[in-house]
């Protein structure tokens, strides 16, 4: 190591400020303003010797003129021409601070030509730009000290897992906090998943396990299960976060926080009017997932195989007495589940009763494939579910109420 004392590094001294004024006479400016008089304002009154005029400063020749003068030492070219909103790409000269004076829109195009007032206005535009050229300082970038680039992700469902992985791929250290003892959230419970790869026509294997494995194997992601965030303070770039796990606390610094704490299924006990609670064979879409996991679908009541199943859409969603909004996923989910039923037992019947089907984007492919594979779609409003599991709905095409009897299972498509 050198023992010679080092002189403190001095910031580079900027070159002396040397403004130059370039007046364009194109676009009607030359016909509206006495350009010689304007040049006189620049040289005599503003004491700037470097003033040039050109018929079209935005032309190649005009640009080359300014560029050459910048190379020769002009540090602040004042371009008295059109609005600063236009020709921004033309008037870029690396190393120079370009200032624009608007002689076109605010003078030539909006004032009477060659009047005293117009001339005064043009001179004022140029004076203001020259004042900028003489006094303007380029803003210095704010240097923030003590910031953290750690990303804290709260919630280890599919959203939190994806956010953690993407943040780590972008080069950040990630702290992933999950309240429960395992990662995956609700997605870990699904028997299969909506297709997310072309051709988007079949339910796909639930690959959440692979995502969990990738996250847990990623060194830059530290996973904290059975943990919650008990306190945060500070702000973006410098949060202080307290993690709590089994009564023990740990304080971490984080630059950003991603909240991915997920959702709760709608409380189906409020859906008695759709038969929930009346029979164990009226289930929600969430409950159906665990029944799939046992292989072929069986009735909860007596273990008989399900040969006929109906899905009632918008159960508790888009309903002013329940959730007023669309839960957005249940149309696709019912279609997937109906296809799974038919795949397991091609002789089974699967009905989807809907008022509107919301299958945007690639979900439309799944919808068409479900029609081809035999899922029966019926448009209408459900009027009631009887004790014997008969569903009555007002069929929109037939214009009358239709009973659907003989069902083994009814699925309420709750969000
Ligand atoms: C029946 C049904 C089937 C579905 N099937 C599919 C499908 O096939 N394909 C598909 O793409 N989508 C499907 N969905 C939708 C999908 O389940 C959701 O989009 C997904 O679960 C959203 O994941 P998430 O991580 O945002 O939330 P969640 O799955 O709810 O995960 C949130 C996580 O955050 C944790 N958490 C909550 N609060 C805290 C806290 N304070 N601190 C720390 N951790 C916390 C929770 O424990 C949980 O692990 C289905 C939905 C339903 C209802
Ligand atoms: S567009 Fe601007 S720079 Fe080009 S001629 Fe018109 S006023 Fe001059
Ligand atoms: S069933 Fe379809 S339309 Fe109804 S709430 Fe769910 S996604 Fe929206």
């Amino acid at each position: 190591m050198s023992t010679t004392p080092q002189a403190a590094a001095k910031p580079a001294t900027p070159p002396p400020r040397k403004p130059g004024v370039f007046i364009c006479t194109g676009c009607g400016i030359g016909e509206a303003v006495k350009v010689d008089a304007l040049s006189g304002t620049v040289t005599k009154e503003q004491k700037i010797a470097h003033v040039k005029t050109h018929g079209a400063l935005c032309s190649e020749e005009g640009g080359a003129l300014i560029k050459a003068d910048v190379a020769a030492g002009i540090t602040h070219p004042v371009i008295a021409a059109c609005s600063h909103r236009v020709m921004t790409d033309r008037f870029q000269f690396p190393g120079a601070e370009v200032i624009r004076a608007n002689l076109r829109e605010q003078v030539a195009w909006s004032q009477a030509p060659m009047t005293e007032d117009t001339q005064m206005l043009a001179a004022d535009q140029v004076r203001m730009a020259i004042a900028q050229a003489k006094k303007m300082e380029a803003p210095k970038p704010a240097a923030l000290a003590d910031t953290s680039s750690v990303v804290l992700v709260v919630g280890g469902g599919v959203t939190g897992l994806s956010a953690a992985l993407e943040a780590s791929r972008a080069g950040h250290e990630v702290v992933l906090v999950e309240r429960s003892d395992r990662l995956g959230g609700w997605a870990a419970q699904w028997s299969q998943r909506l297709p997310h790869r072309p051709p988007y026509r079949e339910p796909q294997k639930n690959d959440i396990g692979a995502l969990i494995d990738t996250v847990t194997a990623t060194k830059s992601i530290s996973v904290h299960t059975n943990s919650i965030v008990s306190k945060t303070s500070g702000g973006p770039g410098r949060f202080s976060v307290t993690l709590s796990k089994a009564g023990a606390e740990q304080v971490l610094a984080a630059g950003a926080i991603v909240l991915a704490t997920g959702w709760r299924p709608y409380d189906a006990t409020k859906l008695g009017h759709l038969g929930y609670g009346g029979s164990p064979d009226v289930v929600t879409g969430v409950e159906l997932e665990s029944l799939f996991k046992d292989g072929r679908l069986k009735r909860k009541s007596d273990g008989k195989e399900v040969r006929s199943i109906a899905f009632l859409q918008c159960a508790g969603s888009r309903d002013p007495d329940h959730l007023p909004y669309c839960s957005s996923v249940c149309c696709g989910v019912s279609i997937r589940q109906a296809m799974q039923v038919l795949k397991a037992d091609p002789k089974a019947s699967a009905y989807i009763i809907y008022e509107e089907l919301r299958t945007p984007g690639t979900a439309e492919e799944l919808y068409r494939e479900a029609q081809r594979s035999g899922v029966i779609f019926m448009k209408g409003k459900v009027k009631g579910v009887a004790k014997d599991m008969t569903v009555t709905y007002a069929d929109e095409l037939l214009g009358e109420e239709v009973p659907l009897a003989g069902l083994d299972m009814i699925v309420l498509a709750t969000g």
Side-chain angles (χ1 to χ4, degrees), residues 70-381:
V70 166
I74 294 297
T75 57
H76 291 69
V78 173
I79 298 174
C82 38
S83 160
H84 68 277
R85 292 175 189 272
V86 296
M87 297 294 165
T88 47
D89 53 339
R90 298 289 168 89
F91 296 137
Q92 284 191 16
F93 303 100
E97 302 285 351
V98 175
I99 297 123
R100 307 277 297 269
N102 188 347
L103 294 186
R104 189 175 76 167
E105 288 83 346
Q106 289 182 353
V107 181
W109 285 4
S110 53
Q111 307 299 321
M114 294 298 175
T115 67
E116 190 181 351
D117 283 351
T118 302
Q119 191 68 27
M120 282 164 53
L121 185 59
D124 277 349
Q125 291 285 355
V126 172
R127 282 188 192 106
M128 286 189 285
I130 290 174
Q132 255 186 292
K134 287 179 176 168
K135 302 207 163 123
M136 181 181 79
E137 296 289 350
K140 293 185 179 58
L144 288 178
D146 303 331
T147 54
S148 167
S149 66
V150 171
V151 174
L152 171 76
V153 178
V154 188
V158 66
T159 308
L161 290 166
S162 307
L165 199 56
E166 291 306 323
S168 114
R169 284 177 180 156
H172 295 272
E173 290 286 321
V174 178
V175 176
L176 176 59
V177 180
E178 166 56 46
R179 182 171 60 181
S180 73
D181 60 355
R182 57 178 186 87
L183 296 174
W186 285 101
Q189 299 195 25
W190 305 152
S191 54
Q192 295 198 15
R193 66 175 291 186
L194 289 163
H196 62 110
R197 293 201 184 92
Y200 308 106
R201 294 196 190 121
E202 296 286 340
Q204 286 178 2
K205 182 174 173 284
N206 185 351
D207 50 7
I208 186 82
L211 180 60
I212 294 171
D213 290 347
T214 309
V215 165
T216 46
T218 302
K219 286 210 176 76
S220 53
I221 303 176
S222 69
V223 176
H224 300 253
T225 49
N226 291 314
S227 303
I228 56 160
V229 173
S230 53
K231 191 176 160 198
T232 58
S233 59
R238 44 174 73 183
F239 287 107
S240 172
V241 178
T242 306
L243 296 191
S244 297
K245 179 172 185 168
E249 292 200 331
Q250 182 186 356
V251 179
L252 305 167
I257 301 177
V258 178
L259 273 187
T261 48
W263 59 284
R264 280 195 304 266
Y266 188 64
D267 178 4
T269 60
K270 295 179 181 163
L271 301 175
H273 63 294
L274 294 177
Y276 194 83
S279 159
D281 297 325
V282 179
V283 299
T284 65
V286 171
E287 290 162 353
L288 182 65
E289 289 295 327
S290 56
L291 300 178
F292 274 131
K293 282 193 173 164
D294 300 334
R296 253 188 174 188
L297 207 50
K298 304 220 174 66
R299 282 161 47 125
K300 279 169 87 180
S301 57
D302 55 13
K304 260 178 60 187
E305 281 193 3
V306 172
R307 309 302 305 274
S308 179
I309 186 168
F311 296 82
L312 312 189
Q313 296 308 106
C314 300
S317 299
R318 300 177 66 229
D319 181 339
D321 295 331
H322 298 276
L323 302 176
Y325 51 83
C326 169
S327 295
S328 78
V329 77
C330 12
C331 277
V333 169
S334 291
I335 292 172
R336 161 169 79 68
Q337 292 174 332
M339 290 175 83
Q340 285 177 238
V341 171
L342 295 191
K343 182 111 192 205
D345 179 1
K347 291 206 176 120
S349 303
Y351 306 92
I352 294 183
I353 304 176
Y354 68 97
E355 285 180 73
E356 277 158 314
L357 265 189
R358 297 197 167 172
T359 49
T362 56
E364 194 72 9
E365 294 293 334
L366 190 71
Y367 174 30
R368 283 204 205 99
E369 188 59 30
Q371 287 175 315
R372 277 193 287 268
S373 66
V375 177
I376 299 162
F377 290 86
M378 300 181 310
K379 185 169 168 64
K381 188 171 176 55

Side-chain angles (χ1 to χ4, degrees), residues 24-27 29 55-59 81-82 86-87 91 100 104:
C24 186
T25 57
C27 288
I29 296 170
L57 283 174
C58 57
S59 65
C82 38
V86 296
M87 297 294 165
F91 296 137
R100 307 277 297 269
R104 189 175 76 167

